[in-house]
Structure formats: structure tokens, C-alpha cells
Amino acid sequence: MDLGQNHQPHKLDELAGLINKAIAKAQSRRHPRKIIDLTGKRFGRLVVLALHAEKSRFGWVCRCDCGGERIVRGSDLIRGMSKSCNCLRKEMFAKRSTKHGLCRSRAYQSWKGMKARCFNPRDRAYPDYGGRGITVCERWLIFENLYAEMGERPPGMSLDRINNDGYFVPGNCRWATVAEQLANRRPRRHSKRRRKRSSLAALQSYVAAMRGVRSEAAKAPHD
């Protein structure tokens, strides 16, 4: 390589440094770094069994405490990015999805029905609850709070408000039987269109008037 005669010494040193770096990089590709043996070591729930035959550059065969096996990169094991055969992730997801484990309880069904009656206009009972201003206190919007104060719903009972004009709040609710709830119902308002029942005197006056009309009609001359 002809570098020319006019190059300054520091320029030559810089060029030589670049060449040495290129040579070192090429040698590192031909001779990779020595693999650290991870056999028998534990990383979370994983225990390293052996280096994978076909993926020896990065893959280690690991056995999880749950019995499953997985091939994991050595760098992921060392940096703590892989700690199980995905069973840990599934457990964490299930734990986040199921907060209390009472979704099938009687109290939970009553809690869902209470919210539907107060907040869902499509619910059949909404006009008698949310439609007339009945709501749920903020604390009871979380099921765990209602369950802690009311407990499990006894068989044959349902959630009842002691004061029918009050909200679903602690102190105004109880578990009650059907008979108790019927006795605690608010009085039904009669429709304005409903015809009032006539008294006996009014009926007698109506009959007498009709007889008078017929009598006058009979006396009238006919053509």
C-alpha cells in the first residue's frame, strides 16, 4: 500500500490503529470467546442440564421445577431474563386475573346483580333502581369490600335494602328472605289512567237516569 511521502507521522499512527482494530475484529469472528459452562447451575426455577448439541452457541437445555424442559440462551439465564419454562408467567397472569377467587360465590352474583340494577339501563329492574336515583356507594364498587362487610350470602336469601329509598351502602343492606323482602316493599303507585270504582249510590243514580230517558222516549209521538 502506497501511503505517500507527504503523510504526517500522526496520520500514519491513526491509520495503523484502524488496521489493527480490523484485524482483531476478524480474528474474534474466527475464534469465538470461550463458552462459560452453566451445567448444574440453578437460575430461578430452572436447572441447567447440558449444552444443546445443535444450538451449542447459545442454547442450554434446562429443566424447570414443574417438570418441563426448555432451551434457553445462556445470556438470558445469566441476566435473569429466564427463570422458568413459562409456568411462572402463567401463574402470575392467573393471579392478576383472579383477584379474590369468589367469582362463583352467591355473594358475587348478588354484587353483579346490584350493579346491573343501578347502572345498566338495559336491565329489567333498572327503572326501579338506577332509574329513580338508587346507586351504590363507592366503597362497594369493589367486591372485596362488600364481601368483607356482608359475608357470604346465605342460601335462600338475597340482598335487600332496609330503606327502599336509600342507597346500597353499609348499614342499609342485609341478607333477607323472599318473605322479608315482600314485607319491606315500597307501596305501588296506582296509574292515573286506572278507572276509579263507582259507588253504589252513583250506580243507582245512573240506573234511574237511564229509566227516565227510556220513559220519555216511550211517551214521545211516533211518525
Side-chain angles (χ1 to χ4, degrees):
M1 180 183 296
D2 186 8
L3 299 178
Q5 299 179 356
N6 297 327
H7 288 82
Q8 298 179 0
H10 66 278
K11 293 291 183 179
L12 294 175
D13 294 339
E14 183 179 353
L15 183 58
L18 293 175
I19 294 173
N20 292 333
K21 288 182 180 181
I23 294 174
K25 187 175 183 180
Q27 290 178 349
S28 64
R29 292 177 179 176
R30 295 176 184 175
H31 305 284
R33 290 178 296 179
K34 185 177 181 180
I35 299 176
I36 300 176
D37 188 8
L38 302 178
T39 305
K41 294 185 178 181
R42 172 177 286 274
F43 300 90
R45 297 183 179 185
L46 296 175
V47 176
V48 181
L49 299 180
L51 187 65
H52 195 277
E54 298 178 358
K55 301 180 180 180
S56 58
R57 292 186 60 185
F58 59 85
W60 292 87
V61 180
C62 301
R63 177 172 295 167
C64 185
D65 290 345
C66 70
E69 292 187 0
R70 181 186 177 191
I71 301 174
V72 189
R73 290 177 178 270
S75 58
D76 292 346
L77 291 171
I78 295 174
R79 289 183 293 177
M81 298 179 63
S82 296
K83 297 181 180 180
S84 70
C85 65
N86 286 332
C87 63
L88 181 60
R89 181 181 300 177
K90 293 179 181 178
E91 290 177 9
M92 295 298 294
F93 179 78
K95 187 176 180 180
R96 289 194 298 267
S97 301
T98 307
K99 296 181 180 179
H100 44 71
L102 297 171
C103 293
R104 297 184 179 180
S105 65
R106 294 186 297 271
Y108 187 80
Q109 299 305 317
S110 294
W111 176 74
K112 285 178 59 179
M114 172 190 69
K115 292 198 304 176
R117 293 192 295 272
C118 292
F119 302 123
N120 186 6
R122 295 184 178 180
D123 190 87
R124 184 172 55 184
Y126 178 81
D128 293 328
Y129 290 85
R132 66 186 190 94
I134 303 300
T135 187
V136 183
C137 68
E138 184 176 358
R139 175 172 173 78
W140 276 12
L141 293 177
I142 301 175
F143 170 72
E144 290 88 339
N145 295 335
L146 180 143
Y147 190 82
E149 295 169 1
M150 297 292 296
E152 179 59 289
R153 186 186 77 192
M157 294 188 175
S158 57
L159 191 61
D160 180 46
R161 286 169 298 120
I162 300 172
N163 178 8
N164 284 309
D165 294 324
Y167 297 163
F168 285 96
V169 295
N172 190 44
C173 292
R174 61 177 180 174
W175 298 121
T177 62
V178 175
E180 291 172 336
Q181 293 203 38
L182 289 175
N184 191 36
R185 293 176 65 179
R186 62 191 178 94
R188 294 288 182 179
R189 295 181 180 179
H190 297 287
S191 174
K192 295 181 179 179
R193 297 181 180 180
R194 186 175 180 181
R195 186 174 60 183
K196 294 182 179 180
R197 182 175 297 178
S198 300
S199 63
L200 180 59
L203 289 174
Q204 290 175 346
S205 299
Y206 175 76
V207 172
M210 291 302 297
R211 286 177 178 176
V213 171
R214 291 177 181 177
S215 177
E216 292 294 333
K219 293 178 181 180
H222 298 278
D223 294 336

